[in-house]
């Protein structure tokens, strides 16, 4: 039904009949009261469009940013309680929604690579969970979000400056983006906080890689392997090495250069040769709606996935 700032109502046929939007929904940024307000706003608009009341909802699912550990469950449920949903309800971390929305039977692995990265999994029993820390980055060894990609590329630039490595086309590209006049000025500026990286640098790495620069290509190989290793960890946790597990790829970085995805796939298939890869670019709220439908229909909910996808696209456009 809900994914942070979006709410979707579907009927028993899998048809989307109500849609609503609220503000950013990570409780770590806006607080629990803020989360309640965001959910009330998005759910209110979705129910209004559908022409029903909260008590007419038969099952609800929510994917919430910032819901990371079981110890947070009761606290988050407390923030949801004012919505007045008198039905079976399941909540998950928002990165899990890709599994419900993108995997054909509601189980598999999702690998997120956008501003940050994350990886979650769900077993064939529809209950067991596999996961990474999520958001740990350097201290947990989870890499290949946008910031990690730029940091790795900047390492190549720094290695050119201190002659630990070869010259790279990343260096003049980063000089131009930053406005620095020399590599010395760039390295110093990054160190003292004069220059900050943004999304332009991420996609510049992809652009330079497309031109064949060896160092940029090496960055993408590294990123693909790191993402693949996270997926491998989750696959091992769930015992899916011999299964045709669907690995759902979510996030803007998969649009950058095919080499990153190729290395991810190669890494995963080394331990799970039957793995299948799904690039999912639909609204994550579809996964929340299917999770809600699962509370009513069980695994049969995923037979309606294509209907949910098609009608959601239509209702959001309209």
């Amino acid at each position: 039904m809900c994914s942070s700032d979006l709410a979707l109502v579907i009927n028993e046929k899998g048809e989307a009949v109500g849609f609503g939007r609220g503000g950013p929904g990570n409780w770590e940024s806006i607080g629990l009261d803020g989360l309640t307000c965001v959910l009330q706003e998005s759910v209110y608009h979705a129910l209004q469009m559908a022409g029903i009341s909260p008590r007419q909802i038969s099952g609800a699912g929510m994917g919430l940013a910032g819901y990371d550990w079981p110890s947070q469950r009761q606290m988050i449920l407390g923030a949801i309680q004012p919505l007045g949903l008198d039905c079976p309800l399941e909540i998950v971390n928002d990165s899990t929604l890709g599994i419900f929305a993108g995997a054909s039977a509601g189980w598999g692995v999702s690998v997120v690579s956008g501003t940050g990265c994350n990886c979650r999994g769900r077993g064939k029993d529809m209950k067991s969970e596999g996961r990474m820390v999520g958001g740990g980055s350097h201290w947990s060894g989870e890499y290949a979000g946008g910031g990690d990609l730029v940091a790795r590329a900047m390492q190549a630039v720094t290695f050119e400056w201190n002659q630990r490595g070869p010259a790279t086309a990343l260096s003049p590209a980063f000089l131009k983006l930053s406005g620095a006049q020399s590599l010395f000025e760039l390295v110093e500026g990054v160190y003292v906080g004069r220059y900050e990286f943004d999304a332009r640098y991420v996609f510049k790495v992809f652009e330079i890689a497309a031109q064949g620069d060896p160092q940029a290509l090496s960055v993408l190989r590294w990123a693909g392997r790191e993402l693949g290793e996270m997926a491998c960890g989750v696959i091992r946790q769930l015992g899916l090495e011999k299964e045709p597990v669907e690995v759902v790829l979510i996030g803007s970085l998969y649009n950058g250069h095919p080499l990153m995805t190729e290395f991810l796939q190669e890494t995963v298939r080394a331990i799970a040769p039957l793995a299948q890869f799904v690039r999912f670019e639909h609204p994550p709220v579809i996964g929340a709606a299917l999770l809600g439908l699962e509370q009513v229909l069980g695994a049969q909910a995923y037979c309606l996935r294509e209907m949910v996808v098609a009608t959601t696209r239509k209702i959001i456009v309209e």
Side-chain angles (χ1 to χ4, degrees):
M1 179 180 182
C2 220
S3 65
S4 289
D5 61 338
L6 302 179
L8 180 67
V9 177
I10 58 176
N11 63 23
E12 70 281 359
K13 299 177 183 178
E15 299 167 332
V17 295
F19 174 75
R21 187 186 302 273
N26 190 326
W27 76 270
E28 294 174 323
S29 300
I30 64 175
L32 292 170
D33 289 341
L35 173 60
T36 300
C37 291
V38 166
L39 292 175
Q40 286 177 324
E41 180 182 6
S42 59
V43 170
Y44 169 79
H45 289 300
L47 292 174
Q48 187 179 50
M49 180 182 288
I52 60 175
S53 71
R55 293 191 178 278
Q56 290 176 277
I57 297 293
S58 300
M62 295 190 181
L64 303 171
Y67 173 47
D68 300 309
W69 302 100
S71 60
Q72 298 170 320
R73 182 177 178 85
Q74 292 307 313
M75 175 183 69
I76 299 295
L77 288 175
I80 296 170
Q81 192 273 335
L83 272 64
L85 296 171
D86 186 21
C87 64
L89 165 69
E90 186 56 76
I91 59 173
V92 297
N93 178 270
D94 59 338
S95 62
T96 308
L97 294 181
I99 300 170
F100 311 131
S104 60
W107 63 272
V109 175
S110 64
V111 187
V112 180
S113 182
T115 302
C117 63
N118 204 344
C119 183
R120 297 266 177 156
R122 193 189 204 197
K124 289 183 69 176
D125 61 2
M126 311 291 277
K127 296 179 181 178
S128 54
E129 180 188 43
R131 59 169 296 169
M132 294 289 108
V133 170
S137 191
H138 293 283
W139 71 262
S140 63
E142 297 168 15
Y143 303 107
D148 302 316
L149 202 75
V150 174
R152 188 77 174 191
M154 186 62 202
Q155 184 180 94
V157 173
T158 303
F159 279 15
E160 176 181 349
W161 167 71
N162 60 28
Q163 297 189 37
R164 288 180 63 186
T168 170
L170 291 166
S171 294
F174 279 23
L175 285 173
K176 184 175 181 180
L177 284 173
S178 66
Q181 298 302 303
S182 67
L183 287 183
F184 182 92
E185 183 180 325
L186 175 62
V187 173
E188 178 191 32
V190 172
Y191 186 86
V192 302
R194 187 182 310 129
Y195 303 121
E196 294 185 0
F197 299 122
D198 55 35
R200 296 175 302 154
Y201 289 83
V202 179
F203 289 98
K204 183 60 69 172
V205 175
F206 289 124
E207 180 183 322
I208 299 301
Q211 297 170 7
D213 179 75
Q215 301 309 305
L217 290 168
S218 178
V219 170
L220 300 188
R221 293 188 189 95
W222 167 82
R225 281 192 294 267
E226 292 294 329
L227 293 168
E229 287 293 348
M230 288 197 295
C232 287
V234 169
I235 288 169
R236 292 188 190 99
Q237 290 172 37
L238 296 171
L240 298 175
E241 296 97 322
K242 297 181 180 180
E243 299 289 344
V245 56
E246 291 172 283
V247 180
V248 185
L249 308 181
I250 307 167
S252 59
L253 264 62
Y254 294 110
N255 297 330
H257 190 288
L259 186 64
M260 189 178 82
T261 302
E262 289 170 13
F263 268 72
L264 182 158
Q265 294 176 344
E266 178 182 299
T267 302
V268 171
R269 286 194 172 122
I271 73 149
L274 300 179
Q276 303 171 35
F277 298 88
V278 180
R279 179 72 174 103
F280 190 79
E281 300 181 272
H282 301 298
V285 72
I286 288 172
L290 283 163
L291 179 60
L293 192 60
E294 182 189 314
Q295 308 313 303
V296 181
L297 300 180
Q300 292 301 311
Y302 298 97
C303 296
L304 300 174
R305 184 169 63 95
E306 293 304 320
M307 175 63 75
V308 177
V309 171
T311 55
T312 298
R313 187 183 302 116
K314 185 174 184 292
I315 200 172
I316 290 180
V317 169
E318 292 178 346

